[in-house]
Amino acid sequence: MTKYNYFTYAIMNTIIFLPYFLFTIIGNTYHTILNGWFPLIIFYAFQNTGTFLINSFGKKVNTRELLLGFLILAIVGAICGALAPFSTIWIELSALFMGIAVSILLPLYTTTKYHEKHFYRTTMKSKHYLFALLTIIIIVPLTLFTANSNHPSLAFVIYGVALSICYISLRRMPKYPIAKSHSFHFSSSSFILFILFTLLLFVIKATRETNFQILTVLLIVSILITMTVLTLMIIKSKIHLQLPRFIYFFSFIQGMIVNFYLLYGTFFALSQKSSTYAIYNIYMPYGLGIILSLFIGNKIISYFKQCHPLSVINIAFVLGVLFTVIPWTISIGGFLIGFFSSLQAVKLNRFAYDATDSFKDSSLLLRSSWAKLGSIINQMCFFFFILLSSFINHIPLNEVFLALSGKTFYYKNQIYTDLKTTAILIITIIGCLLLFGSWKLKRTHKNIN
């Protein structure tokens, strides 16, 4: 995996946010249902739940084969997006294919990188990381600029070419000596979670982006049904943990924190400021944090050798969420959360991969699933609290999301109060989880480096 490895590294690490921006910018330029937001809603739902669908099928396919297969699916999605000017069905198919592929590609790619180091002792050189940074600096603005042009579908062409180069590079990687099971087992619980979470996230995203009042009622019903089913599944099922507990725990919290920042930041910007503020003060600091973390994250954490790396990250998370709820420091909070969430993902991936010999090939995908679970649970809590707070303050439910998305400023001050209340409740939950996790980590995992 040496040829174009810096290019592949760059593209794979932009796949967690660049396709989302593409569908945000391009999706509503076509006349689809739900006021043009249908492609983005499809992508968003499947991006967050695709791993649960894949985990439903117990056939153990080698990570190398999965990576190449889902990369082809992403390329097909890009081709469909390029055909959008001919029919809106193409942009919707693109959202479906890209959503499923994006949900799984990064953990699969990271696993192959670990295999490469573990079995063949080969890693990227320092100059390759610099080339990767330059690639990101070129590809991301070029793609987004094209998406904002008079021919937005060409952005999918550019992205499809980039993904094709990645496929050519990754196809040459060796076959790793990882055993796989040829037995097939369908996991009904994982499939039920996929169905529930997909419907829930579809309704959540549709409620946020459109002004259809019936969706607010569906959202409340969906949250209650999902919470009930989850409770029953937890009570009746026995979870077999194949990795150390702290990996699941901190992956879950990471998903909660990232989702909290993006939800709160987006709603604060749209309801109190503007969409431009959201781009430059919410998303850009967060994205810069992620990118810089890929290149200097380990150097920063090395200055705190006397502390466990996850404890240092937890402190940064606390500062990040606190800065998020202060209007003049929200960008600093976004940068901290982007930087340290990316760094934590790297650390947890390493711990998960090293924790077992028999489960290396699937360890990162499982860890990623728990981060997605934390993100989904946070969304449920966030919307439950915001709707409850708005109900107490006598704001009509059908007006809540109009105010949050900046479509009306009639309830601007009340919505800001409800956002603050919701943020305090979520931060309290996150803070308690971080304190408990740090305490437990200090007691039971002192020797993890």
Side-chain angles (χ1 to χ4, degrees):
M1 204 192 303
T2 56
K3 195 172 185 179
Y4 309 125
N5 59 351
Y6 69 88
F7 186 89
T8 304
Y9 179 84
I11 298 302
M12 287 294 103
N13 280 283
T14 62
I15 207 161
I16 58 176
F17 62 86
L18 187 53
Y20 179 85
F21 289 156
L22 280 180
F23 285 104
T24 300
I25 296 170
I26 298 176
N28 62 355
T29 61
Y30 298 99
H31 299 292
T32 62
I33 63 175
L34 296 179
N35 292 341
W37 291 105
F38 194 49
L40 175 62
I41 295 168
I42 292 174
F43 174 80
Y44 180 82
F46 282 94
Q47 178 198 20
N48 283 276
T49 63
T51 53
F52 296 99
L53 174 63
I54 294 160
N55 289 334
S56 300
F57 301 92
K59 184 181 175 74
K60 300 297 182 182
V61 180
N62 189 283
T63 291
R64 180 185 184 278
E65 298 170 8
L66 275 177
L67 175 61
L68 293 175
F70 280 96
L71 195 50
I72 290 175
L73 185 65
I75 295 170
V76 171
I79 294 173
C80 290
L83 297 174
F86 299 100
S87 173
T88 56
I89 189 66
W90 291 113
I91 191 73
E92 292 160 2
L93 286 174
S94 175
L96 174 64
F97 296 149
M98 290 287 285
I100 294 175
V102 165
S103 72
I104 194 175
L105 276 176
L106 184 57
L108 291 177
Y109 171 72
T110 306
T111 301
T112 60
K113 293 293 290 181
Y114 286 163
H115 284 342
E116 185 179 37
K117 182 178 180 179
H118 180 77
F119 292 107
Y120 300 103
R121 306 297 178 188
T122 56
T123 58
M124 283 175 56
K125 298 179 180 179
S126 298
K127 65 178 182 179
H128 289 154
Y129 286 105
L130 177 59
F131 292 155
L133 178 60
L134 293 175
T135 300
I136 292 174
I137 292 174
I138 294 172
I139 292 293
V140 173
L142 175 63
T143 305
L144 296 180
F145 175 79
T146 307
N148 278 295
S149 69
N150 292 329
H151 303 283
S153 60
L154 289 178
F156 284 107
V157 175
I158 295 172
Y159 201 56
V161 170
L163 291 172
S164 299
I165 294 174
C166 293
Y167 178 81
I168 293 171
S169 174
L170 293 172
R171 190 178 58 180
R172 300 178 181 180
M173 62 183 160
K175 293 184 178 181
Y176 305 106
I178 295 289
K180 63 179 181 179
S181 171
H182 295 281
S183 61
F184 177 84
H185 172 70
F186 180 75
S187 174
S188 58
S189 59
S190 185
F191 189 73
I192 290 171
L193 288 178
F194 164 72
I195 296 294
L196 275 176
F197 289 153
T198 300
L199 292 175
L200 176 65
L201 292 177
F202 188 92
V203 175
I204 285 176
K205 193 65 175 176
T207 306
R208 288 167 53 187
E209 304 295 353
T210 66
N211 56 1
F212 295 101
Q213 298 180 13
I214 187 63
L215 289 174
T216 304
V217 178
L218 289 176
L219 174 59
I220 298 172
V221 174
S222 299
I223 290 175
L224 293 176
I225 292 175
T226 304
M227 291 176 66
T228 302
V229 173
L230 274 177
T231 302
L232 292 174
M233 290 180 69
I234 292 172
I235 292 173
K236 293 185 177 182
S237 65
K238 294 181 180 180
I239 300 176
H240 300 285
L241 300 180
Q242 296 167 297
L243 299 172
R245 287 183 175 86
F246 79 95
I247 296 176
Y248 297 100
F249 186 82
F250 286 110
S251 296
F252 182 87
I253 297 177
Q254 177 202 358
M256 286 191 68
I257 291 172
V258 170
N259 186 260
F260 165 74
Y261 170 75
L262 293 176
L263 280 181
Y264 178 85
T266 299
F267 288 148
F268 170 78
L270 296 180
S271 65
Q272 308 299 313
K273 303 292 184 177
S274 65
S275 57
T276 302
Y277 183 94
I279 294 172
Y280 292 104
N281 294 78
I282 305 299
Y283 305 135
M284 185 175 290
Y286 174 73
L288 288 175
I290 292 176
I291 293 171
L292 287 178
S293 179
L294 296 173
F295 303 100
I296 65 172
N298 287 325
K299 293 181 179 179
I300 296 297
I301 210 74
S302 66
Y303 290 114
F304 305 92
K305 292 182 179 179
Q306 69 278 13
C307 301
H308 191 287
L310 292 182
S311 297
V312 176
I313 293 170
N314 289 344
I315 294 173
F317 275 156
V318 171
L319 292 175
V321 294
L322 290 177
F323 282 146
T324 295
V325 295
I326 303 173
W328 54 89
T329 60
I330 191 170
S331 297
I332 299 174
F335 179 83
L336 288 174
I337 290 174
F339 187 96
F340 285 97
S341 65
S342 177
L343 181 58
Q344 188 192 62
V346 171
K347 293 297 181 183
L348 290 176
N349 283 340
R350 187 75 257 179
F351 293 149
Y353 187 84
D354 292 338
T356 175
D357 290 327
S358 61
F359 197 65
K360 287 185 183 298
D361 210 41
S362 304
S363 58
L364 271 62
L365 183 59
L366 180 60
R367 192 210 71 78
S368 175
S369 298
W370 278 74
K372 297 288 179 63
L373 180 62
S375 174
I376 294 169
I377 295 299
N378 181 79
Q379 290 187 64
M380 291 171 57
C381 294
F382 193 98
F383 285 104
F384 178 78
F385 290 147
I386 196 75
L387 290 173
L388 179 62
S389 181
S390 299
F391 177 78
I392 293 172
N393 290 326
H394 306 291
I395 301 177
L397 292 181
N398 61 307
E399 294 289 331
V400 173
F401 289 98
L402 292 177
L404 287 173
S405 58
K407 296 173 183 176
T408 176
F409 292 97
Y410 186 74
Y411 295 99
K412 181 177 180 178
N413 293 331
Q414 295 94 320
I415 283 294
Y416 182 61
T417 301
D418 293 342
L419 272 176
K420 283 286 188 181
T421 302
T422 300
I424 291 171
L425 292 171
I426 296 291
I427 289 174
T428 301
I429 295 172
I430 290 174
C432 291
L433 290 174
L434 287 174
L435 284 174
F436 174 77
S438 297
W439 171 75
K440 198 73 174 176
L441 188 69
K442 187 176 181 180
R443 289 189 57 191
T444 59
H445 295 279
K446 293 181 179 179
N447 296 324
I448 296 178
N449 295 314

